[in-house]
Amino acid sequence: MSEVLQLNVDGLRPDASREDAGIDSLAVVELSLVLKQHHGMEITDDELFELATLAEIVTLMEQRKRTAA
């Protein structure tokens, strides 16, 4: 996620919000598209907007990766 969105991960914690990490609404849409196109994960931008923390986003990505495999 940090590579796709070009995030500076220094000092970020799993409980950081999207906003704290610098992930705005455009970045959420971009992340959703990249996950589908490059990783075969179906995660909609609406689903990502419902998640409050980076840890929740990563957990969902891990779940979808397991089901996509």
Side-chain angles (χ1 to χ4, degrees), residues 50-69:
E50 292 176 7
L51 303 174
T53 66
L54 296 180
E56 291 175 353
I57 293 171
V58 170
T59 298
L60 180 59
M61 290 169 62
E62 289 171 343
Q63 290 171 348
R64 297 294 167 87
K65 186 174 182 177
R66 282 193 298 270
T67 59

Side-chain angles (χ1 to χ4, degrees), residues 35-49:
L35 290 173
K36 182 176 182 178
Q37 293 173 349
H38 295 282
H39 301 284
M41 286 185 235
E42 288 283 338
I43 301 177
T44 67
D45 51 340
D46 289 335
E47 289 175 299
L48 292 171
F49 280 120

Side-chain angles (χ1 to χ4, degrees), residues 1-36:
M1 180 168 54
S2 63
E3 292 172 16
V4 170
L5 300 176
Q6 300 176 352
L7 299 176
N8 180 3
V9 295
D10 293 337
L12 282 183
R13 299 185 350 228
D15 63 342
S17 70
R18 286 187 322 274
E19 293 81 16
D20 291 340
I23 303 173
D24 61 12
S25 58
L26 183 58
V28 168
V29 172
E30 180 181 358
L31 178 60
S32 176
L33 291 172
V34 168
L35 290 173
K36 182 176 182 178

